[in-house]
Amino acid sequence: MKGAMPSRPFMVPGPGGPMPPPQQFGLVETRPPLAAVLRPRFNIPGLHPSAAAASAAGKIASTYDLVESMRFLYVHVVKARDLPAVSAAGTIDPFVEVKLGNFKGTTPVLGCNHNPSWKQVFAFSATHLQAHVLEVAVKAKDLAGGDDLIGRVGFDLAEVPIRVPPDSPLAPQWYRLETKRGEKTRGEIMLSVWLGTQADEAFPDAWHSDAHAAAPAAVASTRAKVYFSPKLVYLRVAAVGAQDLVPHDTSRPVNSCVKLQLAGQVRRTRPGAPPGTLNPIWNEEFMFVVSEPFDEPLFVTVEDRVGPGRDEPLGRIVLPLNAAMPRHDHFGKPVEPRWYSLARPSDDPDKKEGKFASKIQLRMSLDFGYHVLDESTYYSSDLQPSSKHTRKPSIGILELGILGARNLIPMKGKDGRTTDAYCVAKYGPKWVRTRTILNTLNPQWNEQYTWEVFDPCTVITVVVFDNNQIGKNCDARDESIGKVRIRLSTLETDRVYTHFYPLLALKTSGLKKTGELHLAVRFTCTAWVNMIALYGRPLLPKMHYTQPISVLQLDYLRHQAMQIVAARLSRAEPPLRREVVEYMLDVGSHMFSLRRSKANFYRITSLFCGFAATAKWYDGIRSWRNPITTVLVHMLFLILICYPELILPTIFLYMFMIGLWNYRYRPRHPPYMDTKLCHAEFTNQDELDEEFDSFPSSRPADIVRMRYDRLRSVGGRVQTVVGDLATQGERAHALLSWRDPRATAIFIFLSLVVAIVLYVTPFQVLLVIAMLYLLRHPRFRSRMPSVPFNFYRRLPAKSDMLL
């Protein structure tokens, strides 16, 4: 891509070979010629200079100002008429072949049709304009071998008109077919030809010359599409109780429970109370994830647990979801339980039910006031409730320009190909998928997409995949190449960020850079007051706090929501495959990883760096390493003690000054995957193999035993740290618990003395004495531990009571 790739730094060879390029996993800022900054320049082979100048005078549409303008030659083949018969039976199986140089696209073959209609668009990239003449040929399919030419139409590219949206679409015209010699023949074809950009409305559904090598059945999987997640809602079902159950065997007590099943989600209650009764009480509540249009019914079955794995149904009912009461907020009236008649199971389906029936009491509600989590809350892209009535207005617009990629790794090296790359981006319920660029390591997409923003504390995810639906094996999984996450709150408003983001792949063999993704991002705020007010509001809707859901239940519901979204999007055309959706939503993020555990440990320790720096500064003050600084600190403390009303203003003024000082060191680039933070550069192959192992493990017994022993060792260290923390807390509790009667007596006597001293001595005098004592010169300080420290260490803990 011209103007987008910065020049490589000059590398000086060293004694061990050439030096590696700096910042191998870092971010690279670029300055591509975008319409948001520069006026686009067009240079198209075969285009008349005056037409090129007129085209350069105009801009690409404003909605496409974050990508470079890409020129395409569009051919819209509409239909044909009065085609002659070519077979002895007087029929013809016509199709159209559009050819430009070495690139050729064909329409489907329509059997036995003299007036066929195709309505298909072909798009040839400006980089593929290898000739000055476009040839459109109407041919007849011959099963015996070879295709018969009916007629052709030629177009000189210098005479092709230019169309730039928002111009209306070019009207197709009828053209008389000609033979190879230029003679008019029977038959006409209706089509239109024009030069446009990726802003053209025909661009997404067109056949692209970038995918010319794809089979006709796989062309649909190469097109750019927009998807939307289904609307998800929580269904709350409470099994209250049942009456008049009829057991199959009256000689033994009934051990009844309720089985609730909604599609693939199955939940069971505990046995009813009191045991053995025919009128059990459960009072258990469960939650399910449902999606509009709520066509899946809820199956409620009362079962008698005969033994392990043996359940006999006592009654059953199928309830549609419209039987549940909708709840849009927590202020509505409470949901009242209702009684339902249970249908007794019978081996004879034609047998009529009696008038007497067992009853079950259920409480059902559709809770629209929650936000159904299908992503991790740490990098969620949507926090809006399911109810449209309680949603907040948008605060801005997010624009993403997917420019291209470079230096991708060849994913199909064994097949003699490189990579068939496409991008998927998700923000909120909207998913976008770029077109697939075949057989290249440096694809250029230049596609732009827009989202409404309702909360700045959200994250957009962009992933590059390799399309494996092009070849013969259409059931192969699409492999991920790399992932990029950008948090909107870290972006400045109305600023265009253009960077190459590193694409990283963590495999069992280690960390590997798989390429770089070129993105342009802009966040535009349209409601500043609302955006600032959001920082003081809860992150999730109100029902998450008034009626909270447990963490374990949220994890289960998130897994079910991901399965529903993956199943729904995989049924689209072209499908967004299940492995793509699962990778975007981080299905396995909850699994154990020793690498992530280390990363989280170092994240916690890094938080105490500030405390360590403060302690080091305090030690320097009390050690009189810089006498002038120590004297100034003494003076500051004396001023604050004499004027205590200045303490809080001084603290907040100090934080204000620190914030202003740090402004010059603020991050200038969006966040990206930090290999050091996630501990990916320092992990070993065995830890990665454990991380990517299936659950339950599929590794040999000796490897599992070794990993279990290693986990025991790590757990032993954690156990020691937790035990030390518990010991310190128990010693503090022992001050007044009389476990050590002498220590408690000493402490309460000293407490009485301190209380009398504090009562008769002014507080400011005590602070001055304490300050002078703590900051005394090292000449008056002993290296031995202090008396309070020695006293505290001698207090008893419960460690000696453990086995």
Side-chain angles (χ1 to χ4, degrees):
M1 182 167 47
K2 296 181 179 179
M5 297 175 59
S7 59
R8 293 179 177 270
F10 181 76
M11 294 187 297
V12 181
M19 295 174 58
Q23 295 183 351
Q24 184 180 3
F25 301 114
L27 212 61
V28 180
E29 187 174 6
T30 62
R31 297 185 180 274
L34 303 182
V37 182
L38 303 172
R39 302 176 73 88
R41 298 180 176 88
F42 305 118
N43 184 16
I44 303 176
L47 189 62
H48 195 272
S50 61
S55 179
K59 278 189 174 183
I60 193 172
S62 59
T63 54
Y64 285 84
D65 61 346
L66 291 186
V67 293
E68 296 186 47
S69 177
M70 296 183 67
R71 305 296 291 180
F72 290 89
L73 174 66
Y74 290 97
V75 182
H76 184 196
V77 180
V78 183
K79 57 184 177 180
R81 66 184 180 187
D82 299 332
L83 297 182
V86 295
S87 65
T91 60
I92 181 176
D93 300 333
F95 68 96
V96 176
E97 179 182 277
V98 183
K99 185 177 181 181
L100 184 64
N102 294 327
F103 295 91
K104 179 175 62 177
T106 59
T107 65
V109 179
L110 302 181
C112 302
N113 197 331
H114 293 270
N115 300 288
S117 178
W118 293 282
K119 297 181 180 179
Q120 186 171 348
V121 180
F122 299 85
F124 294 89
S125 175
T127 58
H128 297 158
L129 300 184
Q130 301 174 342
H132 295 280
V133 177
L134 170 71
E135 181 179 339
V136 181
V138 180
K139 295 185 177 182
K141 192 67 177 178
D142 188 0
L143 299 179
D147 298 325
D148 300 327
L149 177 65
I150 305 300
R152 58 179 292 276
V153 178
F155 296 89
D156 187 355
L157 295 188
E159 304 297 331
V160 173
I162 299 173
R163 174 180 178 261
V164 178
D167 292 349
S168 299
L170 199 66
Q173 301 179 21
W174 286 104
Y175 294 89
R176 187 72 177 270
L177 297 178
E178 300 176 352
T179 62
K180 291 183 178 181
R181 299 178 180 179
E183 301 174 353
K184 300 294 182 181
T185 184
R186 180 183 171 185
E188 292 180 306
I189 183 172
M190 176 182 282
L191 53 84
S192 57
V193 182
W194 71 94
L195 283 165
T197 65
Q198 69 268 41
D200 203 295
E201 65 272 5
F203 176 80
D205 295 324
W207 174 94
H208 286 272
S209 57
D210 294 327
H212 67 280
V219 170
S221 65
T222 65
R223 291 172 176 161
K225 289 294 179 182
V226 176
Y227 307 84
F228 280 90
S229 299
K231 182 179 178 181
L232 303 178
V233 183
Y234 284 143
L235 171 67
R236 189 187 299 266
V237 182
V240 181
Q243 288 186 359
D244 303 328
L245 296 179
V246 180
H248 293 279
D249 187 0
T250 58
S251 61
R252 57 175 180 79
V254 177
N255 191 16
S256 59
C257 62
V258 179
K259 173 185 174 183
L260 304 172
Q261 182 174 0
L262 180 67
Q265 307 174 61
V266 180
R267 308 298 293 272
R268 281 185 170 87
T269 67
R270 294 186 294 269
T277 182
L278 299 179
N279 301 308
I281 300 295
W282 296 286
N283 279 327
E284 290 192 48
E285 191 174 75
F286 301 96
M287 296 189 72
F288 301 86
V289 180
V290 297
S291 62
E292 287 187 346
F294 305 138
D295 50 357
E296 292 284 349
L298 175 67
F299 294 89
V300 183
T301 308
V302 179
E303 298 178 337
D304 181 13
R305 185 159 296 175
V306 180
R310 293 182 54 197
D311 297 322
E312 293 183 354
L314 302 179
R316 186 184 188 189
I317 185 174
V318 180
L319 295 174
L321 296 187
N322 55 17
M325 177 182 174
R327 298 175 62 211
H328 295 276
D329 51 44
H330 61 285
F331 298 110
K333 61 180 182 179
V335 181
E336 298 294 335
R338 296 177 57 185
W339 289 97
Y340 298 93
S341 298
L342 293 173
R344 184 171 176 79
S346 175
D347 296 334
D348 186 5
D350 298 330
K351 183 179 179 181
K352 295 184 180 180
E353 294 287 340
K355 295 183 179 180
F356 177 80
S358 302
K359 302 287 185 179
I360 185 172
Q361 191 178 26
L362 301 174
R363 185 171 58 247
M364 298 175 57
S365 64
L366 285 170
D367 293 344
F368 288 87
Y370 290 99
H371 167 68
V372 180
L373 295 169
D374 58 353
E375 304 170 288
S376 174
T377 54
Y378 299 115
Y379 36 82
S380 180
S381 64
D382 184 20
L383 302 171
Q384 291 284 86
S386 302
S387 174
K388 294 182 180 179
H389 307 288
T390 56
R391 293 182 181 178
K392 305 298 181 183
S394 64
I395 62 166
I397 296 174
L398 172 65
E399 296 168 281
L400 174 68
I402 305 176
L403 300 175
R406 68 179 182 184
N407 301 330
L408 299 180
I409 61 172
M411 304 292 290
K412 298 183 174 68
K414 297 181 179 179
D415 301 332
R417 297 170 54 84
T418 55
T419 301
D420 304 325
Y422 69 94
C423 284
V424 178
K426 180 190 183 300
Y427 183 77
K430 181 179 177 180
W431 304 62
V432 299
R433 169 179 175 161
T434 67
R435 69 190 191 280
T436 301
I437 309 296
L438 300 187
N439 201 25
T440 179
L441 301 180
N442 301 284
Q444 301 299 316
W445 292 287
N446 282 301
E447 300 181 23
Q448 183 171 340
Y449 300 94
T450 305
W451 289 268
E452 278 190 302
V453 178
F454 297 90
D455 195 312
C457 302
T458 46
V459 176
I460 181 172
T461 304
V462 187
V463 182
V464 182
F465 290 94
D466 177 48
N467 195 335
N468 283 324
Q469 315 308 311
I470 307 299
K472 299 179 180 179
N473 186 11
C474 295
D475 295 331
R477 293 170 56 90
D478 287 356
E479 297 293 334
S480 61
I481 299 179
K483 177 185 294 185
V484 174
R485 293 196 195 102
I486 302 175
R487 183 171 291 274
L488 270 62
S489 60
T490 61
L491 304 179
E492 299 179 12
T493 56
D494 300 321
R495 176 184 170 184
V496 179
Y497 293 86
T498 53
H499 294 85
F500 271 109
Y501 293 81
L503 298 175
L504 307 175
L506 193 61
K507 304 294 184 182
T508 55
S509 57
L511 179 67
K512 186 176 183 181
K513 185 176 181 180
T514 56
E516 293 177 296
L517 180 62
H518 198 191
L519 299 178
V521 185
R522 178 172 59 197
F523 171 50
T524 304
C525 180
T526 58
W528 274 94
V529 175
N530 294 340
M531 184 178 70
I532 298 301
L534 280 174
Y535 281 88
R537 294 177 182 170
L539 192 65
L540 295 171
K542 293 181 180 179
M543 287 194 70
H544 284 270
Y545 305 98
T546 57
Q547 297 183 12
I549 306 173
S550 65
V551 176
L552 292 178
Q553 196 169 15
L554 269 179
D555 289 340
Y556 172 81
L557 294 174
R558 182 195 167 206
H559 176 74
Q560 297 300 328
M562 288 189 295
Q563 297 301 319
I564 293 175
V565 172
R568 184 70 63 88
L569 295 182
S570 63
R571 294 199 299 265
E573 185 59 37
L576 198 60
R577 296 180 61 86
R578 177 178 289 272
E579 62 269 16
V580 173
V581 178
E582 291 180 350
Y583 185 79
M584 295 283 293
L585 297 179
D586 279 336
V587 171
S589 60
H590 64 286
M591 300 299 292
F592 171 77
S593 168
L594 189 59
R595 174 189 61 84
R596 280 197 291 262
S597 301
K598 292 180 180 179
N600 291 331
F601 173 76
Y602 285 111
R603 287 173 61 193
I604 293 176
T605 56
S606 65
L607 296 179
F608 296 98
C609 293
F611 298 100
T614 304
K616 185 177 180 180
W617 173 82
Y618 171 73
D619 184 69
I621 295 297
R622 65 194 294 264
S623 301
W624 290 73
R625 295 174 184 171
N626 191 338
I628 298 177
T629 305
T630 304
V631 171
L632 291 176
V633 170
H634 279 74
M635 296 175 60
L636 177 63
F637 275 138
L638 289 175
I639 294 173
L640 293 178
I641 291 172
C642 295
Y643 302 96
E645 64 274 8
L646 297 179
I647 294 178
L648 289 179
T650 302
I651 293 175
F652 284 101
L653 181 62
Y654 180 67
M655 289 190 292
F656 172 77
M657 297 302 296
I658 291 177
L660 283 183
W661 178 262
N662 290 338
Y663 179 76
R664 52 191 293 197
Y665 305 109
R666 68 189 185 278
R668 304 300 177 96
H669 308 295
Y672 61 97
M673 299 294 181
D674 193 335
T675 56
K676 294 183 179 179
L677 179 65
C678 64
H679 216 266
E681 296 185 36
F682 313 106
T683 188
N684 57 55
Q685 187 172 353
D686 182 67
E687 292 178 0
L688 292 175
D689 183 72
E690 179 184 17
E691 181 175 344
F692 292 103
D693 190 10
S694 59
F695 185 83
S697 177
S698 58
R699 297 297 184 264
D702 54 341
I703 296 180
V704 175
R705 187 181 300 109
M706 181 268 294
R707 292 173 179 171
Y708 174 69
D709 293 338
R710 181 175 60 193
L711 186 61
R712 290 176 61 191
S713 175
V714 175
R717 300 175 193 172
V718 175
Q719 172 184 289
T720 302
V721 173
V722 174
D724 291 341
L725 294 176
T727 298
Q728 304 306 322
E730 290 167 355
R731 285 173 177 170
H733 184 265
L735 287 172
L736 299 173
S737 64
W738 293 92
R739 286 199 62 207
D740 187 340
R742 287 166 294 277
T744 303
I746 294 173
F747 179 75
I748 62 175
F749 176 75
L750 291 177
S751 299
L752 178 62
V753 174
V754 171
I756 296 174
V757 172
L758 292 177
Y759 182 76
V760 300
T761 308
F763 184 69
Q764 293 176 335
V765 175
L766 293 175
L767 288 179
V768 171
I769 295 175
M771 179 198 69
L772 295 177
Y773 176 78
L774 293 175
L775 299 180
R776 66 190 184 278
H777 197 275
R779 183 179 302 175
F780 307 104
R781 187 181 297 116
S782 173
R783 293 182 178 273
M784 300 300 294
S786 62
V787 175
F789 181 79
N790 294 331
F791 179 79
Y792 187 81
R793 286 293 301 270
R794 291 177 177 276
L795 291 173
K798 297 181 180 180
S799 303
D800 53 340
M801 300 171 63
L802 298 177
L803 289 176

